[in-house]
Amino acid sequence: MRCVRTVVLAATAVLCGVAGAQQSNNTALHAVPPPAKVVIDGKLDDWDLSGQIEVYANYRTRGAYSAKVAAMHDADRLYLAIQWRDSTPMVNMVDARFDIGSGWKSDCLQLRFKTDIVLHVDCWYSTAAGRPVVNISYGRWSGGRDPVEDAGLFEAIPDAMKAGALQAFQKGEDGKSYVQEIALPWRILTGQS
């Protein structure tokens, strides 16, 4: 009887844990080919959103805090579009004119890529500077690059928009949303900037 009671309690705990897990649970983001030429302007009328996924921390608050994420690709670029729900859209008071590498401290899309190299890409809007910013760092996540193994391979790109990355933002008419549209050249993503 004690064994059955333990199994029932364990099963109940698992079921309650599943019932309490209300965040999105995506396992893939499919990048599709663009239907035509893509203009990075913060508008998604030229996008194929068929691979779009919804991301949220809590199902009950997804109407206020969430994102719909889509990706496309062509021979030259990886494209990302995020439709954000946010009660304070595009507010990141880090001033890119003086501290361009600290956008991650506030509203910022942080991307991690791992191929034969590791990339950290921060995409954000500097409210203080009044402009979009893309920062790219190459190297390991824990403790930075290995000085011997990675010496001279890659350098950080503090302002990747000067190196060909594109980004645009468009605030929603409701004042509680915005679109972030990004195009990252493959040559940058593969360390050939």
Side-chain angles (χ1 to χ4, degrees):
M1 186 66 169
R2 173 174 255 165
C3 182
V4 171
R5 194 174 307 149
T6 303
V7 170
V8 169
L9 287 174
T12 302
V14 169
L15 290 175
C16 288
V18 170
Q22 297 180 12
Q23 67 187 25
S24 57
N25 187 16
N26 299 297
T27 58
L29 173 63
H30 296 280
V32 298
K37 181 174 172 21
V38 180
V39 177
I40 305 301
D41 57 4
K43 300 173 187 169
L44 304 182
D45 53 350
D46 51 355
W47 273 72
D48 176 349
L49 299 173
S50 63
Q52 188 176 61
I53 60 173
E54 188 174 11
V55 181
Y56 48 85
N58 188 305
Y59 181 80
R60 291 187 178 108
T61 60
R62 76 185 188 287
Y65 300 102
S66 63
K68 291 183 179 178
V69 183
M72 296 190 303
H73 68 90
D74 61 23
D76 299 316
R77 294 181 176 89
L78 172 66
Y79 301 93
L80 297 167
I82 303 93
Q83 295 170 289
W84 296 98
R85 295 291 307 157
D86 184 351
S87 60
T88 58
M90 296 170 51
V91 176
N92 184 325
M93 294 310 292
V94 173
D95 194 331
R97 295 171 293 190
F98 306 105
D99 193 9
I100 198 166
S102 293
W104 57 269
K105 294 179 180 178
S106 189
D107 283 0
C108 177
L109 175 67
Q110 294 186 287
L111 305 168
R112 304 293 180 249
F113 294 93
K114 184 175 181 182
T115 58
D116 56 335
I117 59 173
V118 176
L119 266 79
H120 313 283
V121 182
D122 292 345
C123 304
W124 52 291
Y125 185 84
S126 175
T127 307
R131 69 179 179 93
V133 181
V134 177
N135 308 104
I136 297 178
S137 298
Y138 302 95
R140 290 180 176 76
W141 175 246
S142 59
R145 296 190 317 230
D146 180 292
V148 175
E149 185 179 333
D150 295 344
L153 291 179
F154 305 103
E155 295 298 324
I157 306 174
D159 192 348
M161 293 184 70
K162 289 181 179 176
L166 302 172
Q167 182 174 218
F169 291 83
Q170 182 73 42
K171 278 190 183 181
E173 292 180 13
D174 62 359
K176 296 181 179 181
S177 63
Y178 65 98
V179 170
Q180 182 177 15
E181 188 177 17
I182 304 162
L184 300 170
W186 292 116
R187 63 182 171 72
I188 290 177
L189 294 178
T190 57
Q192 302 170 23
S193 61

